[in-house]
PDB file of all heavy atoms in Angstrom:
ATOM      1  N   GLN A  48      19.246  -9.548 -15.644  1.00  0.00           N
ATOM      2  CA  GLN A  48      19.139  -8.189 -16.166  1.00  0.00           C
ATOM      3  C   GLN A  48      19.441  -7.146 -15.099  1.00  0.00           C
ATOM      4  O   GLN A  48      19.579  -5.962 -15.397  1.00  0.00           O
ATOM      5  CB  GLN A  48      17.745  -7.947 -16.759  1.00  0.00           C
ATOM      6  CG  GLN A  48      16.622  -7.760 -15.756  1.00  0.00           C
ATOM      7  CD  GLN A  48      16.065  -9.074 -15.227  1.00  0.00           C
ATOM      8  OE1 GLN A  48      16.630 -10.140 -15.439  1.00  0.00           O
ATOM      9  NE2 GLN A  48      14.927  -9.004 -14.553  1.00  0.00           N
ATOM     10  N   THR A  49      19.578  -7.577 -13.844  1.00  0.00           N
ATOM     11  CA  THR A  49      19.927  -6.634 -12.780  1.00  0.00           C
ATOM     12  C   THR A  49      21.431  -6.410 -12.653  1.00  0.00           C
ATOM     13  O   THR A  49      21.840  -5.492 -11.938  1.00  0.00           O
ATOM     14  CB  THR A  49      19.386  -7.124 -11.415  1.00  0.00           C
ATOM     15  OG1 THR A  49      20.008  -8.375 -11.081  1.00  0.00           O
ATOM     16  CG2 THR A  49      17.877  -7.291 -11.444  1.00  0.00           C
ATOM     17  N   TRP A  50      22.250  -7.242 -13.330  1.00  0.00           N
ATOM     18  CA  TRP A  50      23.704  -7.112 -13.138  1.00  0.00           C
ATOM     19  C   TRP A  50      24.567  -7.510 -14.327  1.00  0.00           C
ATOM     20  O   TRP A  50      25.700  -7.062 -14.446  1.00  0.00           O
ATOM     21  CB  TRP A  50      24.158  -7.957 -11.944  1.00  0.00           C
ATOM     22  CG  TRP A  50      23.854  -9.428 -12.088  1.00  0.00           C
ATOM     23  CD1 TRP A  50      22.743 -10.070 -11.641  1.00  0.00           C
ATOM     24  CD2 TRP A  50      24.652 -10.420 -12.739  1.00  0.00           C
ATOM     25  NE1 TRP A  50      22.779 -11.409 -11.967  1.00  0.00           N
ATOM     26  CE2 TRP A  50      23.954 -11.653 -12.645  1.00  0.00           C
ATOM     27  CE3 TRP A  50      25.881 -10.405 -13.388  1.00  0.00           C
ATOM     28  CZ2 TRP A  50      24.437 -12.839 -13.184  1.00  0.00           C
ATOM     29  CZ3 TRP A  50      26.372 -11.600 -13.927  1.00  0.00           C
ATOM     30  CH2 TRP A  50      25.654 -12.790 -13.814  1.00  0.00           C
ATOM     31  N   ASP A  51      24.078  -8.343 -15.238  1.00  0.00           N
ATOM     32  CA  ASP A  51      24.925  -8.949 -16.275  1.00  0.00           C
ATOM     33  C   ASP A  51      25.101  -8.015 -17.477  1.00  0.00           C
ATOM     34  O   ASP A  51      24.281  -8.001 -18.400  1.00  0.00           O
ATOM     35  CB  ASP A  51      24.325 -10.279 -16.725  1.00  0.00           C
ATOM     36  CG  ASP A  51      25.304 -11.098 -17.552  1.00  0.00           C
ATOM     37  OD1 ASP A  51      26.288 -10.523 -18.060  1.00  0.00           O
ATOM     38  OD2 ASP A  51      25.076 -12.314 -17.696  1.00  0.00           O
ATOM     39  N   ARG A  52      26.187  -7.250 -17.461  1.00  0.00           N
ATOM     40  CA  ARG A  52      26.445  -6.287 -18.523  1.00  0.00           C
ATOM     41  C   ARG A  52      26.821  -6.955 -19.849  1.00  0.00           C
ATOM     42  O   ARG A  52      26.709  -6.333 -20.904  1.00  0.00           O
ATOM     43  CB  ARG A  52      27.569  -5.335 -18.103  1.00  0.00           C
ATOM     44  CG  ARG A  52      27.241  -4.489 -16.895  1.00  0.00           C
ATOM     45  CD  ARG A  52      28.398  -3.597 -16.504  1.00  0.00           C
ATOM     46  NE  ARG A  52      28.123  -2.857 -15.291  1.00  0.00           N
ATOM     47  CZ  ARG A  52      27.448  -1.713 -15.243  1.00  0.00           C
ATOM     48  NH1 ARG A  52      27.006  -1.168 -16.368  1.00  0.00           N
ATOM     49  NH2 ARG A  52      27.241  -1.102 -14.085  1.00  0.00           N
ATOM     50  N   LYS A  53      27.258  -8.202 -19.795  1.00  0.00           N
ATOM     51  CA  LYS A  53      27.633  -8.894 -21.021  1.00  0.00           C
ATOM     52  C   LYS A  53      26.409  -9.262 -21.864  1.00  0.00           C
ATOM     53  O   LYS A  53      26.471  -9.266 -23.090  1.00  0.00           O
ATOM     54  CB  LYS A  53      28.429 -10.155 -20.696  1.00  0.00           C
ATOM     55  CG  LYS A  53      29.795  -9.879 -20.083  1.00  0.00           C
ATOM     56  CD  LYS A  53      30.536 -11.177 -19.803  1.00  0.00           C
ATOM     57  CE  LYS A  53      31.910 -10.897 -19.197  1.00  0.00           C
ATOM     58  NZ  LYS A  53      32.630 -12.161 -18.885  1.00  0.00           N
ATOM     59  N   ARG A  54      25.317  -9.563 -21.214  1.00  0.00           N
ATOM     60  CA  ARG A  54      24.109  -9.991 -21.921  1.00  0.00           C
ATOM     61  C   ARG A  54      23.029  -8.922 -22.000  1.00  0.00           C
ATOM     62  O   ARG A  54      22.138  -9.019 -22.845  1.00  0.00           O
ATOM     63  CB  ARG A  54      23.521 -11.231 -21.253  1.00  0.00           C
ATOM     64  CG  ARG A  54      24.331 -12.496 -21.460  1.00  0.00           C
ATOM     65  CD  ARG A  54      23.582 -13.689 -20.905  1.00  0.00           C
ATOM     66  NE  ARG A  54      23.561 -13.701 -19.454  1.00  0.00           N
ATOM     67  CZ  ARG A  54      22.746 -14.472 -18.720  1.00  0.00           C
ATOM     68  NH1 ARG A  54      21.856 -15.239 -19.330  1.00  0.00           N
ATOM     69  NH2 ARG A  54      22.811 -14.443 -17.410  1.00  0.00           N
ATOM     70  N   PHE A  55      23.109  -7.905 -21.128  1.00  0.00           N
ATOM     71  CA  PHE A  55      22.023  -6.937 -21.037  1.00  0.00           C
ATOM     72  C   PHE A  55      22.556  -5.508 -21.001  1.00  0.00           C
ATOM     73  O   PHE A  55      23.633  -5.253 -20.462  1.00  0.00           O
ATOM     74  CB  PHE A  55      21.185  -7.173 -19.774  1.00  0.00           C
ATOM     75  CG  PHE A  55      20.481  -8.496 -19.735  1.00  0.00           C
ATOM     76  CD1 PHE A  55      21.100  -9.594 -19.156  1.00  0.00           C
ATOM     77  CD2 PHE A  55      19.228  -8.650 -20.284  1.00  0.00           C
ATOM     78  CE1 PHE A  55      20.471 -10.823 -19.111  1.00  0.00           C
ATOM     79  CE2 PHE A  55      18.588  -9.876 -20.250  1.00  0.00           C
ATOM     80  CZ  PHE A  55      19.209 -10.964 -19.671  1.00  0.00           C
ATOM     81  N   ASP A  56      21.781  -4.610 -21.572  1.00  0.00           N
ATOM     82  CA  ASP A  56      22.014  -3.180 -21.415  1.00  0.00           C
ATOM     83  C   ASP A  56      21.362  -2.787 -20.099  1.00  0.00           C
ATOM     84  O   ASP A  56      20.133  -2.642 -20.023  1.00  0.00           O
ATOM     85  CB  ASP A  56      21.392  -2.418 -22.590  1.00  0.00           C
ATOM     86  CG  ASP A  56      21.485  -0.912 -22.435  1.00  0.00           C
ATOM     87  OD1 ASP A  56      22.068  -0.447 -21.430  1.00  0.00           O
ATOM     88  OD2 ASP A  56      20.949  -0.208 -23.313  1.00  0.00           O
ATOM     89  N   LEU A  57      22.166  -2.651 -19.041  1.00  0.00           N
ATOM     90  CA  LEU A  57      21.585  -2.393 -17.731  1.00  0.00           C
ATOM     91  C   LEU A  57      20.790  -1.094 -17.706  1.00  0.00           C
ATOM     92  O   LEU A  57      19.802  -0.981 -16.984  1.00  0.00           O
ATOM     93  CB  LEU A  57      22.677  -2.367 -16.657  1.00  0.00           C
ATOM     94  CG  LEU A  57      23.452  -3.670 -16.430  1.00  0.00           C
ATOM     95  CD1 LEU A  57      24.275  -3.555 -15.154  1.00  0.00           C
ATOM     96  CD2 LEU A  57      22.532  -4.869 -16.377  1.00  0.00           C
ATOM     97  N   GLY A  58      21.214  -0.130 -18.511  1.00  0.00           N
ATOM     98  CA  GLY A  58      20.482   1.126 -18.557  1.00  0.00           C
ATOM     99  C   GLY A  58      19.056   0.948 -19.038  1.00  0.00           C
ATOM    100  O   GLY A  58      18.142   1.639 -18.578  1.00  0.00           O
ATOM    101  N   ALA A  59      18.854   0.009 -19.950  1.00  0.00           N
ATOM    102  CA  ALA A  59      17.516  -0.249 -20.475  1.00  0.00           C
ATOM    103  C   ALA A  59      16.632  -0.961 -19.460  1.00  0.00           C
ATOM    104  O   ALA A  59      15.407  -0.993 -19.614  1.00  0.00           O
ATOM    105  CB  ALA A  59      17.607  -1.082 -21.753  1.00  0.00           C
ATOM    106  N   HIS A  60      17.253  -1.543 -18.436  1.00  0.00           N
ATOM    107  CA  HIS A  60      16.509  -2.278 -17.410  1.00  0.00           C
ATOM    108  C   HIS A  60      16.545  -1.566 -16.065  1.00  0.00           C
ATOM    109  O   HIS A  60      16.255  -2.175 -15.033  1.00  0.00           O
ATOM    110  CB  HIS A  60      17.093  -3.685 -17.249  1.00  0.00           C
ATOM    111  CG  HIS A  60      16.876  -4.564 -18.436  1.00  0.00           C
ATOM    112  ND1 HIS A  60      15.727  -5.294 -18.626  1.00  0.00           N
ATOM    113  CD2 HIS A  60      17.666  -4.802 -19.515  1.00  0.00           C
ATOM    114  CE1 HIS A  60      15.812  -5.965 -19.759  1.00  0.00           C
ATOM    115  NE2 HIS A  60      16.977  -5.684 -20.319  1.00  0.00           N
ATOM    116  N   THR A  61      16.899  -0.280 -16.064  1.00  0.00           N
ATOM    117  CA  THR A  61      17.045   0.456 -14.810  1.00  0.00           C
ATOM    118  C   THR A  61      16.329   1.798 -14.900  1.00  0.00           C
ATOM    119  O   THR A  61      16.435   2.500 -15.912  1.00  0.00           O
ATOM    120  CB  THR A  61      18.534   0.716 -14.504  1.00  0.00           C
ATOM    121  OG1 THR A  61      19.234  -0.527 -14.484  1.00  0.00           O
ATOM    122  CG2 THR A  61      18.698   1.397 -13.154  1.00  0.00           C
ATOM    123  N   VAL A  62      15.604   2.126 -13.848  1.00  0.00           N
ATOM    124  CA  VAL A  62      15.067   3.475 -13.681  1.00  0.00           C
ATOM    125  C   VAL A  62      15.578   4.013 -12.359  1.00  0.00           C
ATOM    126  O   VAL A  62      15.833   3.249 -11.429  1.00  0.00           O
ATOM    127  CB  VAL A  62      13.520   3.499 -13.705  1.00  0.00           C
ATOM    128  CG1 VAL A  62      13.001   3.107 -15.075  1.00  0.00           C
ATOM    129  CG2 VAL A  62      12.945   2.595 -12.630  1.00  0.00           C
ATOM    130  N   ARG A  63      15.762   5.309 -12.291  1.00  0.00           N
ATOM    131  CA  ARG A  63      16.207   5.940 -11.054  1.00  0.00           C
ATOM    132  C   ARG A  63      14.973   6.487 -10.345  1.00  0.00           C
ATOM    133  O   ARG A  63      14.189   7.239 -10.922  1.00  0.00           O
ATOM    134  CB  ARG A  63      17.219   7.040 -11.349  1.00  0.00           C
ATOM    135  CG  ARG A  63      18.490   6.525 -12.032  1.00  0.00           C
ATOM    136  CD  ARG A  63      19.509   7.638 -12.253  1.00  0.00           C
ATOM    137  NE  ARG A  63      20.106   8.065 -10.999  1.00  0.00           N
ATOM    138  CZ  ARG A  63      21.215   7.525 -10.470  1.00  0.00           C
ATOM    139  NH1 ARG A  63      21.847   6.547 -11.098  1.00  0.00           N
ATOM    140  NH2 ARG A  63      21.691   7.964  -9.333  1.00  0.00           N
ATOM    141  N   ARG A  64      14.810   6.083  -9.066  1.00  0.00           N
ATOM    142  CA  ARG A  64      13.641   6.507  -8.292  1.00  0.00           C
ATOM    143  C   ARG A  64      14.102   7.122  -6.981  1.00  0.00           C
ATOM    144  O   ARG A  64      15.016   6.613  -6.332  1.00  0.00           O
ATOM    145  CB  ARG A  64      12.748   5.300  -7.989  1.00  0.00           C
ATOM    146  CG  ARG A  64      12.147   4.601  -9.193  1.00  0.00           C
ATOM    147  CD  ARG A  64      10.924   5.327  -9.707  1.00  0.00           C
ATOM    148  NE  ARG A  64       9.840   5.339  -8.753  1.00  0.00           N
ATOM    149  CZ  ARG A  64       8.882   4.393  -8.668  1.00  0.00           C
ATOM    150  NH1 ARG A  64       8.936   3.339  -9.472  1.00  0.00           N
ATOM    151  NH2 ARG A  64       7.895   4.502  -7.798  1.00  0.00           N
ATOM    152  N   SER A  65      13.452   8.172  -6.574  1.00  0.00           N
ATOM    153  CA  SER A  65      13.759   8.765  -5.282  1.00  0.00           C
ATOM    154  C   SER A  65      13.181   7.884  -4.171  1.00  0.00           C
ATOM    155  O   SER A  65      12.186   7.174  -4.373  1.00  0.00           O
ATOM    156  CB  SER A  65      13.181  10.164  -5.178  1.00  0.00           C
ATOM    157  OG  SER A  65      11.772  10.107  -5.090  1.00  0.00           O
ATOM    158  N   PRO A  66      13.768   7.930  -2.985  1.00  0.00           N
ATOM    159  CA  PRO A  66      13.180   7.189  -1.867  1.00  0.00           C
ATOM    160  C   PRO A  66      11.726   7.572  -1.602  1.00  0.00           C
ATOM    161  O   PRO A  66      10.897   6.711  -1.296  1.00  0.00           O
ATOM    162  CB  PRO A  66      14.085   7.573  -0.684  1.00  0.00           C
ATOM    163  CG  PRO A  66      15.413   7.871  -1.313  1.00  0.00           C
ATOM    164  CD  PRO A  66      15.069   8.544  -2.620  1.00  0.00           C
ATOM    165  N   VAL A  67      11.404   8.845  -1.738  1.00  0.00           N
ATOM    166  CA  VAL A  67      10.026   9.295  -1.509  1.00  0.00           C
ATOM    167  C   VAL A  67       9.082   8.656  -2.519  1.00  0.00           C
ATOM    168  O   VAL A  67       7.994   8.163  -2.178  1.00  0.00           O
ATOM    169  CB  VAL A  67       9.946  10.832  -1.580  1.00  0.00           C
ATOM    170  CG1 VAL A  67       8.496  11.298  -1.585  1.00  0.00           C
ATOM    171  CG2 VAL A  67      10.701  11.459  -0.414  1.00  0.00           C
ATOM    172  N   SER A  68       9.493   8.644  -3.787  1.00  0.00           N
ATOM    173  CA  SER A  68       8.666   8.055  -4.831  1.00  0.00           C
ATOM    174  C   SER A  68       8.467   6.568  -4.613  1.00  0.00           C
ATOM    175  O   SER A  68       7.364   6.033  -4.761  1.00  0.00           O
ATOM    176  CB  SER A  68       9.315   8.306  -6.201  1.00  0.00           C
ATOM    177  OG  SER A  68       8.716   7.518  -7.206  1.00  0.00           O
ATOM    178  N   LEU A  69       9.541   5.880  -4.258  1.00  0.00           N
ATOM    179  CA  LEU A  69       9.476   4.434  -4.096  1.00  0.00           C
ATOM    180  C   LEU A  69       8.597   4.052  -2.901  1.00  0.00           C
ATOM    181  O   LEU A  69       7.752   3.152  -2.999  1.00  0.00           O
ATOM    182  CB  LEU A  69      10.886   3.887  -3.917  1.00  0.00           C
ATOM    183  CG  LEU A  69      11.178   2.470  -4.398  1.00  0.00           C
ATOM    184  CD1 LEU A  69      10.746   2.268  -5.845  1.00  0.00           C
ATOM    185  CD2 LEU A  69      12.650   2.164  -4.237  1.00  0.00           C
ATOM    186  N   ALA A  70       8.783   4.732  -1.797  1.00  0.00           N
ATOM    187  CA  ALA A  70       7.953   4.462  -0.629  1.00  0.00           C
ATOM    188  C   ALA A  70       6.494   4.811  -0.917  1.00  0.00           C
ATOM    189  O   ALA A  70       5.575   4.083  -0.511  1.00  0.00           O
ATOM    190  CB  ALA A  70       8.458   5.250   0.574  1.00  0.00           C
ATOM    191  N   GLY A  71       6.278   5.905  -1.630  1.00  0.00           N
ATOM    192  CA  GLY A  71       4.913   6.298  -1.972  1.00  0.00           C
ATOM    193  C   GLY A  71       4.215   5.260  -2.822  1.00  0.00           C
ATOM    194  O   GLY A  71       3.018   4.978  -2.637  1.00  0.00           O
ATOM    195  N   TRP A  72       4.948   4.694  -3.774  1.00  0.00           N
ATOM    196  CA  TRP A  72       4.349   3.633  -4.599  1.00  0.00           C
ATOM    197  C   TRP A  72       3.943   2.449  -3.728  1.00  0.00           C
ATOM    198  O   TRP A  72       2.824   1.922  -3.855  1.00  0.00           O
ATOM    199  CB  TRP A  72       5.328   3.157  -5.677  1.00  0.00           C
ATOM    200  CG  TRP A  72       4.779   1.957  -6.392  1.00  0.00           C
ATOM    201  CD1 TRP A  72       3.874   1.949  -7.404  1.00  0.00           C
ATOM    202  CD2 TRP A  72       5.066   0.588  -6.082  1.00  0.00           C
ATOM    203  NE1 TRP A  72       3.569   0.655  -7.761  1.00  0.00           N
ATOM    204  CE2 TRP A  72       4.276  -0.198  -6.971  1.00  0.00           C
ATOM    205  CE3 TRP A  72       5.887  -0.047  -5.159  1.00  0.00           C
ATOM    206  CZ2 TRP A  72       4.312  -1.595  -6.943  1.00  0.00           C
ATOM    207  CZ3 TRP A  72       5.921  -1.435  -5.137  1.00  0.00           C
ATOM    208  CH2 TRP A  72       5.145  -2.189  -6.029  1.00  0.00           C
ATOM    209  N   ALA A  73       4.833   1.996  -2.845  1.00  0.00           N
ATOM    210  CA  ALA A  73       4.517   0.844  -2.005  1.00  0.00           C
ATOM    211  C   ALA A  73       3.316   1.125  -1.110  1.00  0.00           C
ATOM    212  O   ALA A  73       2.442   0.264  -0.924  1.00  0.00           O
ATOM    213  CB  ALA A  73       5.730   0.456  -1.173  1.00  0.00           C
ATOM    214  N   LEU A  74       3.243   2.334  -0.575  1.00  0.00           N
ATOM    215  CA  LEU A  74       2.132   2.674   0.318  1.00  0.00           C
ATOM    216  C   LEU A  74       0.820   2.852  -0.426  1.00  0.00           C
ATOM    217  O   LEU A  74      -0.252   2.813   0.184  1.00  0.00           O
ATOM    218  CB  LEU A  74       2.471   3.943   1.105  1.00  0.00           C
ATOM    219  CG  LEU A  74       3.605   3.799   2.119  1.00  0.00           C
ATOM    220  CD1 LEU A  74       3.888   5.140   2.778  1.00  0.00           C
ATOM    221  CD2 LEU A  74       3.274   2.749   3.165  1.00  0.00           C
ATOM    222  N   SER A  75       0.882   3.026  -1.733  1.00  0.00           N
ATOM    223  CA  SER A  75      -0.359   3.148  -2.519  1.00  0.00           C
ATOM    224  C   SER A  75      -1.021   1.799  -2.748  1.00  0.00           C
ATOM    225  O   SER A  75      -2.155   1.728  -3.223  1.00  0.00           O
ATOM    226  CB  SER A  75      -0.058   3.810  -3.872  1.00  0.00           C
ATOM    227  OG  SER A  75       0.642   2.915  -4.742  1.00  0.00           O
ATOM    228  N   GLN A  76      -0.325   0.715  -2.420  1.00  0.00           N
ATOM    229  CA  GLN A  76      -0.857  -0.635  -2.573  1.00  0.00           C
ATOM    230  C   GLN A  76      -1.417  -1.116  -1.235  1.00  0.00           C
ATOM    231  O   GLN A  76      -0.877  -0.793  -0.183  1.00  0.00           O
ATOM    232  CB  GLN A  76       0.237  -1.597  -3.039  1.00  0.00           C
ATOM    233  CG  GLN A  76       1.079  -1.079  -4.195  1.00  0.00           C
ATOM    234  CD  GLN A  76       0.270  -0.828  -5.440  1.00  0.00           C
ATOM    235  OE1 GLN A  76      -0.558  -1.643  -5.832  1.00  0.00           O
ATOM    236  NE2 GLN A  76       0.513   0.322  -6.067  1.00  0.00           N
ATOM    237  N   ASP A  77      -2.469  -1.919  -1.279  1.00  0.00           N
ATOM    238  CA  ASP A  77      -3.113  -2.336  -0.032  1.00  0.00           C
ATOM    239  C   ASP A  77      -2.560  -3.676   0.463  1.00  0.00           C
ATOM    240  O   ASP A  77      -3.299  -4.622   0.720  1.00  0.00           O
ATOM    241  CB  ASP A  77      -4.630  -2.421  -0.210  1.00  0.00           C
ATOM    242  CG  ASP A  77      -5.049  -3.504  -1.202  1.00  0.00           C
ATOM    243  OD1 ASP A  77      -4.190  -3.929  -2.009  1.00  0.00           O
ATOM    244  OD2 ASP A  77      -6.215  -3.940  -1.147  1.00  0.00           O
ATOM    245  N   THR A  78      -1.246  -3.746   0.587  1.00  0.00           N
ATOM    246  CA  THR A  78      -0.616  -4.963   1.079  1.00  0.00           C
ATOM    247  C   THR A  78       0.268  -4.628   2.275  1.00  0.00           C
ATOM    248  O   THR A  78       0.977  -3.615   2.277  1.00  0.00           O
ATOM    249  CB  THR A  78       0.256  -5.626  -0.011  1.00  0.00           C
ATOM    250  OG1 THR A  78       1.223  -4.684  -0.477  1.00  0.00           O
ATOM    251  CG2 THR A  78      -0.590  -6.091  -1.179  1.00  0.00           C
ATOM    252  N   GLU A  79       0.239  -5.503   3.271  1.00  0.00           N
ATOM    253  CA  GLU A  79       1.070  -5.284   4.451  1.00  0.00           C
ATOM    254  C   GLU A  79       2.534  -5.587   4.175  1.00  0.00           C
ATOM    255  O   GLU A  79       3.426  -4.908   4.675  1.00  0.00           O
ATOM    256  CB  GLU A  79       0.593  -6.176   5.596  1.00  0.00           C
ATOM    257  CG  GLU A  79       1.422  -6.036   6.859  1.00  0.00           C
ATOM    258  CD  GLU A  79       1.117  -7.103   7.892  1.00  0.00           C
ATOM    259  OE1 GLU A  79       0.445  -8.094   7.545  1.00  0.00           O
ATOM    260  OE2 GLU A  79       1.572  -6.946   9.034  1.00  0.00           O
ATOM    261  N   LEU A  80       2.798  -6.616   3.340  1.00  0.00           N
ATOM    262  CA  LEU A  80       4.160  -7.092   3.124  1.00  0.00           C
ATOM    263  C   LEU A  80       4.794  -6.433   1.903  1.00  0.00           C
ATOM    264  O   LEU A  80       4.226  -6.453   0.806  1.00  0.00           O
ATOM    265  CB  LEU A  80       4.161  -8.614   2.939  1.00  0.00           C
ATOM    266  CG  LEU A  80       5.499  -9.279   2.623  1.00  0.00           C
ATOM    267  CD1 LEU A  80       6.530  -9.015   3.722  1.00  0.00           C
ATOM    268  CD2 LEU A  80       5.315 -10.783   2.405  1.00  0.00           C
TER     269      LEU A  80
END
Side-chain angles (χ1 to χ4, degrees):
Q48 75 278 11
T49 63
W50 59 267
D51 193 342
R52 297 178 184 276
K53 293 181 180 178
R54 289 187 288 166
F55 297 91
D56 175 2
L57 297 192
H60 292 275
T61 304
V62 294
R63 298 183 71 90
R64 297 279 296 270
S65 70
V67 170
S68 167
L69 210 52
W72 173 81
L74 292 177
S75 73
Q76 313 298 315
D77 65 341
T78 56
E79 179 191 13
L80 177 59

